[in-house]
Amino acid sequence: MNINQNYLNLSDSYLFSRIAKRVREYSESNPNKSVIKLGIGDVTKPLVPAVISAMQKAVLEMGNAATFKGYGEEQGYLFLREAVCGYYSKKGVTLDENEVFISDGAKSDLGNILGLFSNDNTVLIPNPVYPVYVDTNIMSGRNVVYINGNEENGFLPLPDKNVKADIIYLCSPNNPTGAVYNNEQLKVWVDYALENNAVILYDAAYEIFIRQETDNVTAQTSNLKPSSIYQIDGAKECAFEFCSLSKTAGFTGTRCGYTVIPRAIVRGNTSLNSLWLRRQTTKFNGVPYIVQRGAEAVFSDEGMAQIKGDIAYYLENARMIAACLRELDVWFTGGEDSPYIWLKCFNNMSSWEFFDDLLNRFGIVGTPGAGFGACGEGYFRLSAFGERANVSEAMARLKKI
């Protein structure tokens, strides 16, 4: 028996495990000092009433023989796939329900989707980057090349036509930087993918934070910030879109998301939509019925109104963080259409030096940029997914610097 040697090429521990360990050690040594966590992007607002009501009703259905549900469709119940299609229609995007796959979250599908592709493919990943994109490809032994994000390009890199890539990861609004591609920039990526016969894996987990109103129109104006890559002409021939209800509706502990694979994407004379369906019917038994009923309620008028109230709450937290950094004359991006603020470390500290300084002096926890790749060194991520009082207190502490 031989192990997969590629696993030995991974870093010793997952970024957020390292952070948790340092915070735990600090708390044990300083039991009387409070810690404000603005690091890991977990939500703090509970599930909204419309979702709770739908899930409670579904629980009762599961206790009645006439309405009990056993195994469901691996692709997801039709009622939820239709609800997702309805959500996209408000963006000016038409989807067939068979192009939507319900999942237990974007993270799972972003890793599992690689099973459709040969290990010989070259993967292009912007840096800094959500670690899952990199680690899942290292596990498979693929060749990974990076395109650098920096202050000069606003951490929104565009493709280098001298680089040939087969699989491209994009995330907008971006994790960790909070930067958002506009229509013109995404069009450049779509054209690049089409020219190279490549596939874009587009992570739209934070799309609901884009406050610009794009409902019922296709994003054609260059300064618009699309909330779906399918608002870009040509994207249905080259892009998969992944979205999670974790940040949209507080499903981090409930687990539900969806992946869109247009049937127009054909590679090697094969529909990638049909390949993914085959994979899911073999390796996935679907998301629980109760959870899917709750997810359906997310897309109802009542549910969406309640959810947008929570999103506004988090964005106000982001505005408070941004205002504090402006007062301190600190360079940053993000926050406007994203729950993340990406700032330059004070006094030319390294990312982990700044992490330790904030924790030990002020009891504030963020995420070192170096954990997101080489281009993240010297930068730091703060999350707006906190309680208002904690964010306010953290900014008051920060101003003491």
Side-chain angles (χ1 to χ4, degrees):
M1 193 283 293
N2 296 311
I3 66 169
N4 181 350
Q5 294 288 328
N6 294 311
Y7 273 72
L8 303 182
N9 296 324
L10 295 167
S11 59
D12 291 338
S13 62
Y14 189 52
L15 169 64
F16 299 111
S17 299
R18 293 177 62 188
I19 292 173
K21 181 175 182 294
R22 293 197 184 200
V23 173
R24 183 172 60 253
E25 290 172 349
Y26 171 84
S27 296
E28 290 172 352
S29 301
N30 301 274
N32 297 321
K33 293 184 178 181
S34 65
V35 174
I36 299 176
K37 298 180 180 180
L38 302 179
I40 295 177
D42 197 359
V43 295
T44 51
K45 287 290 186 181
L47 298 173
V48 298
V51 170
I52 293 297
S53 177
M55 294 179 74
Q56 288 174 333
K57 181 180 177 182
V59 168
L60 295 177
E61 290 177 6
M62 294 297 280
N64 186 319
T67 53
F68 172 78
K69 298 291 189 298
Y71 289 123
E73 297 176 73
E74 292 88 347
Q75 192 174 346
Y77 285 101
L78 181 60
F79 63 76
L80 180 51
R81 289 186 281 126
E82 288 179 336
V84 172
C85 291
Y87 181 63
Y88 273 83
S89 70
K90 295 177 181 178
K91 303 172 186 281
V93 175
T94 300
L95 296 177
D96 184 277
E97 63 268 14
N98 291 320
E99 295 177 315
V100 177
F101 297 81
I102 306 304
S103 71
D104 59 358
K107 182 177 182 180
S108 299
D109 277 5
L110 280 162
N112 292 330
I113 204 75
L114 294 172
L116 302 189
F117 307 112
S118 166
N119 288 351
D120 294 334
N121 287 304
T122 295
V123 181
L124 179 62
I125 301 179
N127 189 331
V129 64
Y130 181 42
V132 171
Y133 305 161
V134 177
D135 288 354
T136 51
N137 280 285
I138 290 175
M139 291 172 180
S140 301
R142 286 186 181 84
N143 177 41
V144 176
V145 295
Y146 297 98
I147 185 164
N148 295 337
N150 48 51
E151 288 185 44
E152 289 68 32
N153 58 32
F155 286 92
L156 292 169
L158 295 175
D160 180 348
K161 293 190 176 182
N162 295 316
V163 175
K164 172 69 171 68
D166 306 299
I167 302 170
I168 303 159
Y169 283 84
L170 294 178
C171 179
S172 181
N174 184 267
N175 179 14
T177 69
V180 184
Y181 280 111
N182 64 28
N183 177 75
E184 185 176 7
Q185 293 165 325
L186 276 183
K187 179 61 174 170
V188 173
W189 275 111
V190 168
D191 289 346
Y192 170 82
L194 292 172
E195 289 168 8
N196 287 277
N197 202 35
V199 171
I200 295 173
L201 304 182
Y202 188 79
D203 186 351
Y206 302 93
E207 56 84 23
I208 201 168
F209 287 89
I210 298 177
R211 290 182 287 185
Q212 180 175 263
E213 185 60 58
T214 57
D215 285 0
N216 298 316
V217 296
T218 300
Q220 297 297 336
T221 307
S222 62
N223 63 349
L224 286 179
K225 298 175 182 178
S227 58
S228 168
I229 197 169
Y230 301 125
Q231 292 173 314
I232 307 300
D233 290 340
K236 282 190 175 181
E237 285 74 52
C238 65
F240 296 6
E241 185 159 294
F242 304 81
C243 198
S244 167
L245 298 186
S246 290
K247 308 310 192 306
T248 299
F251 275 54
T252 49
T254 311
R255 309 309 307 150
C256 192
Y258 55 87
T259 295
V260 179
I261 304 180
R263 290 194 282 191
I265 303 180
V266 176
R267 298 292 185 272
N269 297 317
T270 302
S271 164
L272 297 187
N273 177 288
S274 64
L275 286 185
W276 185 241
L277 176 61
R278 184 67 179 86
R279 186 269 178 199
Q280 293 297 81
T281 56
T282 301
K283 292 189 175 184
F284 188 57
N285 258 346
V287 176
Y289 171 74
I290 296 167
V291 173
Q292 291 196 53
R293 280 299 185 190
E296 179 190 27
V298 168
F299 299 105
S300 68
D301 291 341
E302 180 186 15
M304 194 55 60
Q306 293 169 356
I307 285 162
K308 287 189 175 181
D310 289 347
I311 298 301
Y313 180 93
Y314 294 133
L315 285 172
E316 175 60 18
N317 285 348
R319 187 203 63 78
M320 291 170 59
I321 296 172
C324 174
L325 295 176
R326 289 192 187 96
E327 186 176 331
L328 296 174
D329 197 25
V330 175
W331 185 93
F332 70 94
T333 188
E336 181 179 354
D337 293 294
S338 167
Y340 296 127
I341 291 87
W342 182 252
L343 62 101
K344 196 166 187 176
C345 296
F346 303 169
N347 301 323
N348 295 315
M349 292 184 189
S350 72
S351 297
W352 281 104
E353 286 174 342
F354 190 57
F355 174 90
D356 289 334
D357 188 60
L358 284 187
L359 177 61
N360 292 317
R361 291 173 63 196
F362 302 103
I364 299 172
V365 178
T367 310
F372 298 102
C375 291
E377 181 55 86
Y379 297 88
F380 203 75
R381 190 191 78 175
L382 292 177
S383 166
F385 287 120
E387 293 295 337
R388 180 67 44 76
N390 289 338
V391 173
S392 179
E393 171 61 22
M395 294 306 100
R397 295 180 188 181
L398 201 58
K399 288 179 183 179
K400 295 178 181 178
I401 291 179

